[in-house]
């Protein structure tokens, strides 16, 4: 009797439907070369499924994604699913030589992960060399079925992905810069959904057009996939409502201009005019610049076009007035600061801001530029800050050296000796006046250093910009986690006074934060995700120069607190 009762119970368990769980979605992404023409310049570039940008991927909260990457190009490749937590699935995170060896030519790999507790606008991109210049696309996570947005349901949703177009091969650009020690050549244009728009030479036909109906609400899913530039964005004669940042709902606020850093996403509600305006409106973006190096000082434009009434006269259709927005000055840090301060977590009953109130470990890292000595093997004269130095970048004066074996594989297999050092400093070894007169010695040290954290450690990290080779804003991205930006300020962080003003109630939660130029940002997060997690500046030039490090979060005691085993098809180095 007991056996039959047990059998009946067991049968009822395994036969239950699974409405609480998401579906499994399969995608295949072929990495191929194909010719693309922009600015009247044709080049062969690395792309996804023959598209530039890559195709939009859609999932729902709770879904499992199985994304097969097939590498048909001469380059090694890996893909990162930017903003996905990857809970216990670090093998699917994607940064080459951090969580995996790259996918070699002719090989494939299936990224297998489940979207847990996330919904919103994210994106994917290559995470090796500068291939993300062309290998990127939207990753849209819809809410679970039956769960509404916490704002007015839009009439239509539109991804808008900012990028940079280079006439030259980006791989050759960074190889040349690495060889000479100088700054890499800048892009030739910015793009919206791969199109530079009418303000560039030979590009009127390559313009993104957003066609709308009067009296409707549109959800614009903005992604900054540019390699090296933070961007201001505005639509002429329209205001927008910010409702989400980095796939986290925020307290809505209206603005006519936004600032978005590389790696960040922002969702906007656009309410169109109630009646046909007999005009079109430029949507423009141009850089926010804080550094001293050269930059692409140009503007990308798309066009907002209203659907015309059926009986509109031909003369009106042909002679529509075109309005242009007014963007902030290139160096308008005041606007950048005010915009950043407006971003607050929604902190509702359904979407609470779970800020760690108790902190187990406090860290203080510097982020900024520096120098390396010139490589004199061939009596080479460098093109860095001096003819005897090369540009470098570092976190706490350690310029990260990429390993030749993946950190996560080395850690999991217990073969980390000679691959990385588990002794990243909690604070700079040599303190100095970080935002004052820079020290005479600007040389960085080099190493492959990681910070080790026990499972479930609550962390507070202050990231301090420095004035070495000029203060500059740095968008720092942390893989594997969201974090709360509890404080920001200018000058040197004051460990006694500044924490008194931390926002521990509704701070913005995100995965990429702009450390202010000549200032600091304080974040908190809970290290509840075992694995090795990359943290780096999302200005690709700074990452290439070494502004990167990794966190190693150890397994917890319980089975569901441990990193899952590696997949059988994990690429080998």
């Amino acid at each position: 009797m007991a056996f039959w009762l047990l059998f009946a119970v067991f049968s009822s368990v395994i036969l239950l439907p699974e409405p609480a769980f998401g579906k499994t979605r399969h995608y295949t992404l072929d990495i191929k070369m194909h010719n693309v023409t922009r600015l009247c310049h044709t080049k062969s570039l690395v792309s996804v499924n023959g598209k530039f940008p890559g195709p939009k991927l859609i999932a729902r909260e709770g879904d499992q994604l199985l994304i097969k990457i097939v590498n048909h190009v001469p380059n090694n490749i890996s893909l990162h699913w930017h903003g996905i937590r990857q809970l216990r699935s670090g093998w699917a995170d994607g940064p080459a030589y951090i969580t995996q060896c790259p996918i070699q030519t002719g090989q494939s790999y299936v990224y297998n992960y489940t979207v847990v507790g996330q919904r919103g606008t994210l994106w994917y991109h290559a995470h090796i060399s500068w291939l993300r210049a062309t290998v990127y696309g939207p990753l849209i996570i819809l809410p679970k079925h039956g769960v509404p947005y916490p704002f007015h349901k839009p009439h239509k949703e539109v991804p808008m992905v900012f990028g940079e177009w280079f006439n030259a091969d980006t791989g050759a650009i960074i190889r040349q810069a690495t060889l000479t020690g100088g700054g890499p050549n800048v892009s030739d244009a910015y793009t919206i959904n791969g199109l530079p728009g009418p303000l560039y030479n030979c590009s009127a036909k390559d313009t993104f057009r957003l066609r709308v109906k009067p009296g409707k609400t549109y959800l614009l899913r903005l992604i900054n996939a540019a390699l090296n530039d933070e961007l201001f964005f505005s639509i002429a004669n329209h205001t927008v409502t910010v409702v989400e940042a980095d796939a986290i709902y925020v307290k809505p606020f209206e603005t006519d201009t936004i600032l978005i850093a590389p790696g960040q996403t922002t969702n906007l509600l656009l309410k169109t005019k109630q009646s046909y305006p007999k005009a079109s409106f430029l949507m423009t973006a141009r850089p926010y610049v804080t550094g001293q190096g050269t930059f692409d000082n140009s503007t990308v434009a798309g066009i907002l076009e209203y659907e015309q009434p059926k009986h509109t006269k031909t003369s009106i259709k042909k002679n529509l007035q075109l309005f242009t927005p007014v963007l902030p000055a290139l160096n308008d840090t005041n606007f950048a600061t005010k915009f950043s301060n407006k971003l607050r977590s929604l902190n509702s009953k359904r979407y609470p801001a779970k800020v760690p109130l108790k902190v187990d470990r406090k860290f203080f890292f510097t982020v900024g530029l520096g120098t390396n000595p010139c490589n004199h093997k061939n009596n080479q004269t460098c093109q860095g800050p001096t003819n005897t130095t090369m540009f470098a970048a570092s976190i706490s004066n350690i310029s990260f050296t990429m390993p030749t074996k993946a950190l996560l594989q080395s850690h999991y297999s217990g073969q980390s000796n000679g691959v990385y050092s588990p002794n990243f400093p909690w604070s700079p070894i040599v303190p100095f006046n970080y935002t004052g007169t820079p020290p005479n010695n600007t040389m960085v040290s080099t190493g492959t250093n990681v910070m080790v954290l026990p499972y479930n450690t609550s962390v507070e990290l202050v990231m301090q910009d420095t004035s070495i080779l000029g203060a500059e804003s740095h968008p720092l991205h942390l893989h594997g986690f969201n974090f709360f930006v509890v404080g920001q300020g200018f000058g040197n962080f004051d460990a006694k006074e500044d924490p008194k003003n931390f926002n521990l109630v509704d701070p913005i939660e995100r995965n990429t934060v702009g450390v202010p130029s000549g200032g600091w940002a304080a974040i908190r997060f809970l290290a509840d995700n075992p694995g090795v997690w990359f943290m780096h500046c999302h200005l690709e030039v700074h990452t290439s120069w070494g502004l990167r490090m990794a966190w190693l979060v150890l397994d917890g005691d319980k089975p569901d607190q441990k990193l899952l085993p590696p997949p059988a098809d994990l690429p080998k180095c």
Side-chain angles (χ1 to χ4, degrees), residues 95-380:
Y97 302 107
I98 304 299
T99 59
Q100 67 167 92
C101 299
I103 307 165
Q104 299 179 25
T105 304
Q107 302 298 311
S108 65
Y109 177 50
V110 177
Y111 289 93
N112 180 355
Y113 59 89
T114 300
V115 181
V116 180
Q118 292 184 274
R119 81 294 307 163
T121 303
L122 297 173
W123 62 300
Y124 64 90
H125 60 82
H127 213 301
I128 184 170
S129 185
W130 278 26
L131 288 179
R132 78 171 181 86
T134 57
V135 178
Y136 63 86
L139 175 57
I140 308 302
I141 311 297
L142 300 173
K144 291 182 178 180
H145 280 292
V147 178
Y149 293 131
F151 46 79
H152 182 79
K153 183 180 179 181
H155 170 69
K156 189 177 180 181
E157 302 182 11
V158 183
M160 294 178 61
V161 189
F162 300 112
E164 287 185 85
W165 171 266
F166 294 78
N167 284 335
D169 174 63
T170 51
I173 289 173
I174 187 57
R175 284 194 296 272
Q176 177 69 12
T178 302
L179 182 67
T180 65
N185 291 341
V186 301
S187 58
D188 295 284
Y190 300 105
T191 58
I192 300 175
N193 292 345
L195 302 171
L199 303 185
Y200 291 103
N201 178 49
C202 193
S203 298
K205 69 182 189 318
D206 294 323
T207 299
F208 172 70
R209 297 176 183 273
L210 176 58
R211 293 180 171 89
V212 298
K213 296 180 178 181
K216 300 291 185 181
T217 298
Y218 292 78
L219 179 64
L220 308 183
R221 296 179 177 270
L222 271 55
I223 300 166
N224 188 348
L227 281 190
N228 293 312
D229 292 278
E230 301 182 63
L231 296 169
F232 295 118
F233 170 75
S234 184
I235 304 174
N237 291 23
H238 289 72
T239 59
V240 293
T241 303
V242 179
V243 293
E244 181 193 300
D246 287 2
I248 294 292
Y249 296 132
V250 302
K251 289 183 171 66
F253 65 91
E254 288 190 352
T255 183
D256 56 10
T257 304
I258 74 150
L259 175 64
I260 185 168
Q264 292 182 339
T265 69
T266 305
N267 279 10
L268 309 175
L269 290 180
L270 169 66
K271 293 183 179 180
T272 58
K273 299 181 183 301
Q274 287 300 313
S275 58
Y276 178 58
K278 298 181 181 178
S280 293
F281 307 88
L282 284 182
M283 307 179 291
T284 61
R286 76 175 183 196
Y288 165 52
V289 182
T290 57
Q292 298 181 357
T294 56
F295 64 96
D296 179 355
N297 185 9
S298 66
T299 303
V300 60
I303 300 178
L304 178 69
E305 298 177 336
Y306 277 74
E307 184 178 290
Q308 297 169 339
K310 291 182 179 180
H311 304 296
T312 304
K313 293 181 180 179
T314 304
S315 59
I316 294 177
K317 290 181 180 180
K318 289 184 177 180
N319 299 299
L320 290 179
Q321 188 172 359
L322 183 63
F323 289 96
T324 302
V326 178
L327 290 168
L330 293 166
N331 61 350
D332 195 343
T333 295
N334 184 48
F335 175 89
T337 304
K338 288 181 178 178
F339 181 81
S340 176
N341 289 339
K342 290 178 183 177
L343 291 166
R344 301 292 182 96
S345 289
L346 191 59
N347 195 28
S348 64
K349 186 176 181 180
R350 180 184 281 273
Y351 304 107
K354 298 179 181 179
V355 190
L357 300 179
K358 175 180 138 305
V359 174
D360 297 320
R361 296 193 179 182
K362 293 185 178 183
F363 302 106
F364 179 83
F365 295 173
T366 57
V367 294
L369 305 185
T371 56
N372 274 321
C374 195
N375 184 344
H376 290 293
K377 286 183 180 178
N378 301 312
N379 294 322
Q380 176 186 348

